[in-house]
Amino acid sequence: MECETNFLIEKLQNPQEQRIGGWRFISGDYEGIPVVVSVTSVGMTNAAAATVLGIETYHPLAVINQGTAGGHDAALHRFDIVLGAETIDLSAWVSKRENKGADGRHIELRPTYYYDDGIEKQEVELKADSELLKVAAEEGKNYQAGKVVVGKISSSNNWNRQIDRIRFYNEKYGSSCEEMETHAAAHICKNYKVPFLGIRILSNTEVYNEDFAPATGLACQQYVLEVVKAYAKNKQIKTDA
Amino acid sequence: MECETNFLIEKLQNPQEQRIGGWRFISGDYEGIPVVVSVTSVGMTNAAAATVLGIETYHPLAVINQGTAGGHDAALHRFDIVLGAETIDLSAWVSKRENKGADGRHIELRPTYYYDDGIEKQEVELKADSELLKVAAEEGKNYQAGKVVVGKISSSNNWNRQIDRIRFYNEKYGSSCEEMETHAAAHICKNYKVPFLGIRILSNTEVYNEDFAPATGLACQQYVLEVVKAYAKNKQIKTDA
C-alpha cells in the first residue's frame, strides 16, 4: 500500500522508476547505499511475482519485505515491530476429514515446496538470514514508537477476525502476526539463495480491538531505513555517511 | 507433480531443458507446435514464479495451467475435467469479527489485486480467455474417460476435507473443484495480458470418498494435448499435421 512504501521512495536519491510485468520498481540510493523499492501490491501471488522480477532484474545483495500486519500475539500492540525469525504460510493446511462442521482449527499446516540446487525440498517454516536478523534486532534497541521483537510472521491472503482462531494460530504455531506477502517473498528468496528478512509492524490487532493506524506504515519504513544502513555498514558497503 | 507433467514432456520433440531460479522448463515441439512445459511444483507462490519466468523467457501465445484437483461439485467424479471459465482464490477471504468460534464458513471472499496497464484493479473472479475456453469445450466432446464441464476452479494452498466446507464453497461461490496453482497462474497472465485457461481433472473427491487416482494425471495431459492442437489450428499456427 502507498502508506507502506511512500517514505522509502521519497528518500531515494537519483530515483529511476520502471514497471516490469505491471509491477512497479524504484531504484536509487539512500545515503550512498543502492536500494530498490518494489511496490508489490497486495497478496502472495503479487509478492512472489515482484520478488522474482526484482531478483532477476536487480540482483540484490539482500531482500527485506516490510509493511503492516495484524497482531496475533497478546504481548504486542500497534506500533510494535516483528522481525520474522521464521515465516509460515497460514493458507497451507490440510483439514481433518469431517462430515459435519467447518472449524478452522481442525487443521495441520502443510509444507512449502522450494527448490534447492534443483532438488525439491519441503519446510513448514522458512528461516530469516541470521546476519540480517541480528543487525535488525540490534537496531531495534533504538526504536522509540513501540518495541521490536524477534518472532514469527504468518502470511496468507486471508484476514482473520475470529479471536479463537487468532489464539489458535498463536498458541499452536507461535504466530506473532498475520499479513499477506512475507512468506511468498521468503520462499522466492529461498529458491534464489538471497538473504531475506521480513519486518512487519502491527497496524492493528483484533486481540485488543485496536483498529488500523496508517501512521504505523511510516514508522516501519523509518526503522527499515536504519536497518538498511546498519546492514550496509556490516557488509562494508561504501556509503556517503 | 511428476504424474501431472511426465507425459507432456515425453511427447515433446527436440526437448531443451533449463532451470530458471530453480524452476524447471522443457521447451520443444509437439506435432510442429512450439510448446513449453513448466514443472511449477506445488502451491500458489511456485505457480506465480514459474508463470512469470515462463512468460518473460518464452513469450507464449497462451498459457494453460493443468493438473489434478479435488472435487467440490456433487455432479462430478474422478476423471471428470473442469475447464475454468472462472478461477477464484479460496485463501483470499475476510472473516466476520467474532469472539467465539472459528467457523470457516463465516467469511466473504476478498478480491485479487492485479495491474492493468499500470492501474491497480480488483476482481474476485478471473475469467478464462474466451477463445481457449471455446476450443477446449469443443474438444471435450471427444473425451472418453469422463465428462468435460465448463466450471469454476478454486485455488489455495489448503486441502479441505470437511464436507460442510466443501458444500459451502460449492453452494455459495459455485466452486467446481479445488487445487493449488491455477488462480495464481491466471493472475500473472492477467498482468501480462496473455490468454489463459485452467484445465483440471478430478483425481479425488471427498464428496463421494473417492481417493486420489494417479492415472487421472495422464488422462488430463492427453486431453490437454488435444486442446493444444485444436487451439494451434484455430490460430493457424503451422504444424506437422
Side-chain angles (χ1 to χ4, degrees), chain B residues 80-98:
Chain B
D80 290 341
I81 289 175
V82 178
L83 306 176
E86 298 94 19
T87 66
I88 56 177
D89 178 353
L90 272 193
S91 72
W93 48 259
V94 55
S95 70
K96 294 189 175 67
R97 183 172 161 84
E98 293 174 327

Side-chain angles (χ1 to χ4, degrees), chain A residues 4-13 28-37 64 66 81 135-136 139 143 199 217-233 239:
Chain A
E4 294 172 293
T5 50
N6 56 354
F7 182 76
L8 294 176
I9 294 166
E10 278 167 28
K11 285 291 175 183
L12 290 184
Q13 289 185 303
D29 59 78
Y30 174 67
E31 300 195 3
I33 307 159
V35 171
V36 182
V37 179
I64 293 173
Q66 63 87 40
I81 289 175
V135 165
E139 189 55 43
Y143 179 68
I199 299 178
L218 175 60
C220 190
Q221 293 173 76
Q222 289 171 324
Y223 167 72
V224 163
L225 284 179
E226 296 304 314
V227 174
V228 167
K229 277 198 285 188
Y231 185 69
K233 191 177 171 187
T239 70

Side-chain angles (χ1 to χ4, degrees), chain A residues 32-47:
Chain A
I33 307 159
V35 171
V36 182
V37 179
S38 159
V39 184
T40 62
S41 182
V42 178
M44 302 282 268
T45 296
N46 280 316

Side-chain angles (χ1 to χ4, degrees), chain A residues 41 95 97 120 161 206, chain B residues 41 95 97 120 161 164 206:
Chain A
S41 182
S95 71
R97 181 170 164 85
E120 191 175 71
R161 305 197 68 191
E206 300 287 345
Chain B
S41 182
S95 70
R97 183 172 161 84
E120 192 175 69
R161 307 197 67 190
D164 281 350
E206 300 287 345

